Amino acid sequence: MREDEHLRLFHTGDHPCGYWPGRVARDLVFDPHDERLAGFYPQALEWGFRRSGDIVYRPHCVGCRACVAVRIPVDGFRPDRSQRRCLQRNHAVEARVLPAERNAERLALYRRYLCTRHPGGGMDDHGAHEFDQFLVGSWANTRFLELREDGRLLAVAVTDIDERAMSAVYTFYDPDQSARGLGTLAILRQVEWARRDGRRHLYLGYWIAGHGKMDYKRRFRPLEGFDGRRWRPFEEIAPA
């Protein structure tokens, strides 16, 4: 393939929706074998795409536009009252940015999380191979943000980074500590990290109105949503 040739974009066939039972979904996917994909990835984020392993995709379903890509403008973000309580509740939790690598401790936490949060969802049998394939991939510039208290691993936030932005790929945490709001804490710490390093945005993936596991993203304000052509204030896309 010539350097000046555009990346190929494929339209997948129908497959079961990962968010709503009984629905059918389709995606737009960039050629995962193109060696230029890593360099193009920041632009793909700007266009509302997301990474899963080595796949860069965007939902493109017939008759459904429920998945809205959202991102936090880092400089303007201020935690609300509930988020400040989360920070206070977890004031003793230490955050460390580390290489994206699998070890026995992280794998065990990941498996516990999946078995509790997604039982029977097709991911609860993930092992070492799936961990590497899904969370690390072969080309992404990824780091793991570990959250620990008294040496105990509580959560891992898988984060892609580039010069201008960061993308929150996936977070898994101790299911026995879910009342502490570790998912919220992970995003708040990622925002702090992005601001400290001078990055403009933290991408949060897709917001889905009314979905119990996805609607929480609306609580991070200010928030921007991608309307298919440009990024707009979240309120213009999904009024409260």
Side-chain angles (χ1 to χ4, degrees), residues 12-70:
T12 71
D14 292 345
H15 58 85
C17 176
Y19 301 112
W20 298 112
R23 295 192 186 183
V24 174
R26 293 198 298 178
D27 301 310
L28 293 174
V29 178
F30 282 103
D31 183 357
H33 303 295
D34 195 310
E35 295 179 353
R36 300 168 298 170
L37 190 56
F40 186 75
Y41 180 45
Q43 181 61 65
L45 289 172
E46 287 275 354
W47 290 345
F49 283 76
R50 185 136 178 91
R51 181 182 74 83
S52 176
D54 289 340
I55 303 299
V56 178
Y57 73 98
R58 188 173 80 185
H60 192 71
C61 306
V62 176
C64 180
R65 295 293 181 267
C67 295
V68 177
V70 291

Side-chain angles (χ1 to χ4, degrees), residues 27 49 59 72 86 90 109 111 116 124 129 148 151 156 170-171 176 196 240:
D27 301 310
F49 283 76
I72 299 172
C86 178
N90 295 287
L109 181 63
R111 288 178 56 83
T116 302
D124 46 350
H129 173 73
R148 291 181 180 269
V156 177
Y170 197 76
T171 297
D176 294 335
R196 185 171 62 247

Side-chain angles (χ1 to χ4, degrees), residues 32-211:
H33 303 295
D34 195 310
E35 295 179 353
R36 300 168 298 170
L37 190 56
F40 186 75
Y41 180 45
Q43 181 61 65
L45 289 172
E46 287 275 354
W47 290 345
F49 283 76
R50 185 136 178 91
R51 181 182 74 83
S52 176
D54 289 340
I55 303 299
V56 178
Y57 73 98
R58 188 173 80 185
H60 192 71
C61 306
V62 176
C64 180
R65 295 293 181 267
C67 295
V68 177
V70 291
R71 68 184 186 185
I72 299 172
V74 170
D75 286 344
F77 175 78
R78 298 294 182 273
D80 63 17
R81 180 182 300 178
S82 175
Q83 291 159 356
R84 291 195 298 270
R85 287 200 298 266
C86 178
L87 289 169
Q88 179 58 36
R89 185 165 58 246
N90 295 287
H91 69 278
V93 175
E94 298 181 352
R96 296 180 62 196
V97 177
L98 298 165
E101 299 171 348
R102 168 177 45 85
N103 60 28
E105 185 183 31
R106 293 169 180 167
L107 178 59
L109 181 63
Y110 177 62
R111 288 178 56 83
R112 287 184 58 220
Y113 175 81
L114 292 180
C115 288
T116 302
R117 297 280 294 182
H118 304 287
M123 296 177 67
D124 46 350
D125 61 348
H126 276 200
H129 173 73
E130 289 80 9
F131 182 103
D132 295 345
Q133 185 179 56
F134 174 49
L135 300 179
V136 181
S138 65
W139 53 260
N141 187 15
T142 307
R143 300 291 185 274
F144 283 177
L145 179 69
E146 281 193 349
L147 302 180
R148 291 181 180 269
E149 185 176 57
D150 297 327
R152 178 184 177 187
L153 182 63
L154 296 177
V156 177
V158 181
T159 313
D160 289 346
I161 59 176
D162 65 49
E163 292 183 358
R164 297 174 298 176
M166 293 168 38
S167 178
V169 175
Y170 197 76
T171 297
F172 55 96
Y173 54 81
D174 186 342
D176 294 335
Q177 301 292 319
S178 59
R180 301 179 61 162
L182 294 172
T184 294
L185 179 65
I187 293 177
L188 295 173
R189 294 293 176 87
Q190 285 171 303
V191 170
E192 293 172 0
W193 172 18
R195 180 180 291 133
R196 185 171 62 247
D197 287 1
R199 292 182 169 87
R200 296 178 59 187
H201 297 102
L202 174 65
Y203 290 87
L204 297 183
Y206 300 111
W207 166 78
I208 302 175
H211 193 285

